[in-house]
Amino acid sequence: EASQIPQRFLFYKPFMSSGMADRIIMEQELHKALAHQEFYLEYQPQVNLKTGNIESLEALVRWHHPTRGFVPPDMFIPIAEESGLIIPLGKWILETACCQAKAWEAQGLPQMKVAVNLSLGQLFQQDLVQMVKGILQQTKLEPHYLQLEITESMTMNIDQMTQLLHELKALGIQIAVDDFGTGYSSLSYLKDFPIDCLKIDRAFVRNIQHNPNDEALVSMIISMAKHLRLKVVAEGIEEVAQLAFLMDGGCDYIQGYLFSKPIAAEQLTETFQELHSH
Ligand code: C2E
Ligand code: CA
Ligand code: CA
Ligand code: CA
């Protein structure tokens, strides 16, 4: 193929080389970021539609770079994955989230679950189960207050995945399938995987008021989850009409800007303390 490309393009690949240079720089900066404490977590509430209570919070990592400013996770998580940094970063995220959940409990706030995203690289991490166990012991967070969010993926075989999830479940934690319906979905794994919860991706929820197909899909996912005795969270709820549809449809939890954006821990603490002082 290379022989078909005019020679001059082999010398000048400005887009590609600058892209690669950017990536290498970002990779180096990511390594420093962990040591320099440039990461922090925000938490987004998940609201129980029956009670109106916040029952859990999804931890979402944030990177505040000294000169670039805010770098979105969609941009740096893939680089962290490829460079292997996701292993120490993922550990830091889990420790920080569990520690924060325990701190809220100590401050007398109603105990909420904390949901932490696991990336693919972490699923392949040899000592993942030991690491989670160690963090639970160290932070003294009761295991059922931790939920791990995994995404469907075809890179790990079903048997391996089932085995791993059983080992994690044996610690007493909860497991959610994130971005449900967007990946390489195989419905058959739903019966084998020991999961507690499905999170319907925002892509399906976004147009439910306008698109009957999305409406049908969301209804189907909710009813399937009910039959499998799984809880359902709908992600990315921005409008009242979406909320109304989901309430009618029997969705268990919603998460989205309509209720709250992800917010810093301190701000959440203040909000809760205000709520409780009234
Ligand atoms: P995700 O796990 O599907 O997280 C949900 C994303 O949707 C978050 O984006 C959240 O801020 C956003 N979101 C929530 N409600 C709404 C809404 O109503 N409207 C819109 N437009 N967006 C909403 P965020 O924080 O930028 O994270 C993007 C992705 O980056 C996450 O998708 C996840 O795949 C990854 N990520 C974020 N934090 C972590 C982490 O701590 N660990 C790992 N492994 N991945 C993370
Ligand atoms: Ca998630
Ligand atoms: Ca998601
Ligand atoms: Ca996503």
Side-chain angles (χ1 to χ4, degrees):
E1 274 154 32
S3 63
Q4 294 167 359
I5 303 172
Q7 197 62 38
R8 62 179 188 281
F9 289 119
L10 294 179
F11 288 101
Y12 283 103
K13 286 190 278 188
F15 296 122
M16 188 178 173
S17 50
S18 75
M20 297 221 319
D22 266 3
R23 212 183 160 85
I24 290 164
I25 291 168
M26 191 176 278
E27 198 178 311
Q28 291 167 342
E29 290 177 340
L30 268 172
H31 275 273
K32 279 190 239 152
L34 198 56
H36 294 178
Q37 299 175 308
E38 291 167 17
F39 295 110
Y40 62 98
L41 300 184
E42 286 187 335
Y43 298 86
Q44 189 178 31
Q46 298 180 348
V47 181
N48 182 323
L49 282 182
K50 295 218 174 64
T51 62
N53 292 334
I54 299 173
E55 279 184 18
S56 36
L57 299 162
E58 179 176 2
L60 294 155
V61 69
R62 301 293 178 242
W63 180 17
H64 192 270
H65 185 280
T67 56
R68 290 176 198 257
F70 178 74
V71 185
D74 279 333
M75 199 163 185
F76 69 81
I77 291 285
I79 299 175
E81 285 249 12
E82 277 177 34
S83 65
L85 186 75
I86 196 66
I87 304 301
L89 176 59
K91 185 175 184 205
W92 179 86
I93 292 169
L94 191 64
E95 277 168 350
T96 307
C98 290
C99 202
Q100 183 61 63
K102 191 67 194 176
W104 277 320
E105 186 201 314
Q107 288 165 340
L109 301 181
Q111 180 100 54
M112 289 164 293
K113 255 184 281 187
V114 66
V116 177
N117 292 282
L118 276 194
S119 62
L120 198 60
Q122 291 176 279
L123 294 180
F124 286 99
Q125 183 183 338
Q126 279 309 310
D127 63 346
L128 177 68
V129 179
Q130 276 311 310
M131 183 192 83
V132 175
K133 189 176 176 185
I135 290 175
L136 287 169
Q137 283 169 349
Q138 171 201 323
T139 59
K140 302 193 173 68
L141 182 69
E142 281 176 57
H144 61 275
Y145 287 122
L146 174 64
Q147 182 162 72
L148 294 179
E149 297 193 1
I150 57 159
T151 43
E152 323 164 49
S153 161
M154 55 192 276
T155 33
M156 185 178 269
N157 81 40
I158 299 253
D159 291 344
Q160 253 180 311
M161 189 72 172
T162 310
Q163 165 77 18
L164 174 63
L165 294 182
H166 275 290
E167 286 175 28
L168 286 170
K169 277 295 293 182
L171 300 176
I173 65 169
Q174 307 249 308
I175 294 176
V177 174
D178 201 0
D179 302 341
F180 183 73
T182 59
Y184 179 80
S185 314
S186 151
L187 291 179
S188 65
Y189 74 70
L190 286 181
K191 74 177 163 55
D192 298 324
F193 286 0
I195 51 181
D196 304 283
C197 175
L198 290 185
K199 296 189 76 177
I200 306 178
D201 195 76
R202 188 169 84 87
F204 297 108
V205 176
R206 198 160 35 206
N207 296 317
I208 25 183
Q209 319 92 292
H210 313 294
N211 184 337
N213 287 342
D214 284 343
E215 206 177 283
L217 273 173
V218 169
S219 301
M220 185 216 60
I221 296 173
I222 294 172
S223 98
M224 182 186 66
K226 293 252 130 87
H227 282 106
L228 294 168
R229 290 186 206 82
L230 304 174
K231 297 285 183 203
V232 201
V233 181
E235 295 190 293
I237 309 308
E238 295 181 351
E239 291 163 37
V240 175
Q242 295 166 338
L243 173 67
F245 177 83
L246 292 161
M247 282 183 107
D248 274 356
C251 181
D252 301 297
Y253 301 91
I254 57 147
Q255 179 180 350
Y257 293 173
L258 178 68
F259 189 78
S260 169
K261 289 200 168 181
I263 44 181
E266 306 76 56
Q267 201 186 332
L268 224 113
T269 311
E270 280 173 29
T271 309
F272 279 124
Q273 280 166 343
E274 268 168 38
L275 280 174
H276 280 261
S277 63
H278 292 306

